[in-house]
Amino acid sequence: MKRKEFKGIIPAVVTPFDSNEALDLPALKKLLDYLLEQGVHGLFIAGTNGEAHLMNHDDVVLLTQTVVDHVRGRVPVCSGAGRCSTKETIQLANRLVQTGVDYISLVSPYYQVPSQEDLFNHYRTIADHVNAPLLLYNIPSQTGVEIGIEIAERLAAIDNICGIKDSGGDFEKQKQYIALGEKYDFDVLNGSDSLILETLKAGAKGSVAATANVLARLEVSLYRHFCEGQLDKAQVEREAMDLLRMNLKKAVAPAAMKKTMNLMGVPVGKPRLPIREANETLTAEL
């Protein structure tokens, strides 16, 4: 399937909300301008840090259409359609196709944990009914199910399943996903910020990074130094991410991220309930 190249530093973009928990579209456009000015190579919206699980279909479609219209093709955009139900995922994905988005990500079904064969059938059925480049999204800590290598290989052979965002945090498993790219047109994007440099060295196309909401310029520089073979400089930049990265873990995502961005003067509002904003102690640390 013909598609735009999706690589480099791709922020897992937070979703700005106003005081009534509605989408804040003016703030969203300012956030997009800020990220593009930092030199990011793509945008990953309506994911975990984007609070897609707390948004209905209309919210996700409005978010995606706004981003696509504002970005105007300057970088590729991927939006999330993954839902627990196969039928509902197909419905949302096809609405997102109409926005002109470049990729659609598909987080595995959660709560009612599917077997591996259930998972394969879920993704195959979506691919059969959605005419767009599809990106699998492996995040077993949140979904309760991992996309196994055997299932991933069967899915990689499907034309419009173009790759996987792996947030499993298992470097050896991610290398197995990367190996599939030698057989198929199947790209791997790292989703664990701590592994950003190691996975690039192993052959990942890039990193969908939550920390890139805040540290985009640093991470874009890391990627440039990696591409130039200046691995010592890239390693220093990778280690510079750790202080923020560890503080972000002290609250449920994206509470600490949103607080940090608000402190930076990039207004994104609070998380949607039930997630509360960062408390005073964490705010002081941030």
Side-chain angles (χ1 to χ4, degrees):
M1 168 171 280
K2 187 176 180 180
R3 56 191 175 96
K4 292 183 179 179
E5 193 170 27
F6 205 36
K7 67 177 185 178
I9 300 301
I10 304 162
V13 183
V14 301
T15 302
F17 298 122
D18 65 20
S19 58
N20 295 315
E21 297 194 359
L23 287 172
D24 188 338
L25 299 183
L28 173 62
K29 293 173 184 177
K30 291 179 181 179
L31 171 59
L32 296 173
D33 289 339
Y34 164 75
L35 292 173
L36 292 171
E37 287 167 2
Q38 308 305 303
V40 300
H41 306 104
L43 298 166
F44 186 94
I45 62 173
T48 305
N49 281 277
E51 300 174 81
H53 49 290
L54 301 178
M55 290 194 273
N56 61 31
H57 287 208
D58 289 343
D59 280 344
V60 177
V61 173
L62 177 58
L63 170 72
T64 304
Q65 190 68 70
T66 302
V67 173
V68 169
D69 290 347
H70 192 73
V71 170
R72 302 189 312 279
R74 286 175 283 177
V75 296
V77 177
C78 178
S79 184
R83 293 294 186 266
C84 291
S85 154
T86 305
K87 181 178 180 180
E88 189 181 354
T89 302
I90 291 169
Q91 290 171 342
L92 177 54
N94 279 318
R95 290 185 66 185
L96 295 181
V97 170
Q98 299 304 311
T99 69
V101 74
D102 300 296
Y103 284 81
I104 293 173
S105 75
L106 302 169
V107 72
S108 298
Y110 43 93
Y111 183 73
Q112 190 175 26
V113 179
S115 70
Q116 288 294 292
E117 204 59 38
D118 289 335
L119 198 58
F120 172 76
N121 189 62
H122 170 75
Y123 281 125
R124 181 186 62 185
T125 303
I126 295 167
D128 287 344
H129 291 85
V130 179
N131 184 26
L134 304 176
L135 191 69
L136 308 177
Y137 182 2
N138 183 57
I139 182 166
S141 63
Q142 302 300 108
T143 62
V145 62
E146 183 173 69
I147 301 174
I149 295 301
E150 295 82 0
I151 296 299
E153 179 158 10
R154 290 164 64 189
L155 292 169
I158 297 173
D159 182 56
N160 58 330
I161 295 181
C162 300
I164 187 168
K165 178 200 172 192
D166 177 33
S167 299
D170 183 337
F171 182 45
E172 294 304 314
K173 180 62 64 66
Q174 189 164 147
K175 287 195 291 186
Q176 290 180 284
Y177 289 138
I178 290 168
L180 296 179
E182 298 175 3
K183 301 180 183 179
Y184 309 98
D185 185 15
F186 188 80
D187 296 337
V188 176
L189 293 169
N190 168 59
S192 299
D193 291 12
S194 62
L195 296 176
I196 181 172
L197 184 54
E198 289 305 308
T199 54
L200 286 171
K201 292 177 184 177
K205 293 292 185 179
S207 192
V208 178
T211 51
N213 284 281
V214 174
L215 302 176
R217 190 178 298 277
L218 174 73
E219 294 177 28
V220 167
S221 179
L222 183 161
Y223 182 73
R224 184 179 68 254
H225 285 140
F226 164 76
C227 292
E228 294 172 349
Q230 300 186 60
L231 299 184
D232 289 346
K233 290 183 178 180
Q235 183 62 41
V236 169
E237 289 162 328
R238 200 340 253 124
E239 292 170 3
M241 297 166 53
D242 282 342
L243 187 58
L244 173 67
R245 192 173 61 80
M246 298 311 297
N247 274 294
L248 294 178
K249 294 179 179 292
K250 296 178 181 179
V252 178
M257 181 73 69
K258 282 192 159 181
K259 178 61 72 171
T260 304
M261 299 183 77
N262 290 330
L263 291 169
M264 292 170 62
V266 182
V268 293
K270 302 177 183 178
R272 274 188 174 174
L273 293 173
I275 306 307
R276 296 171 300 154
E277 67 177 331
N279 61 32
E280 292 183 1
T281 299
L282 178 53
T283 298
E285 294 179 12
L286 291 168

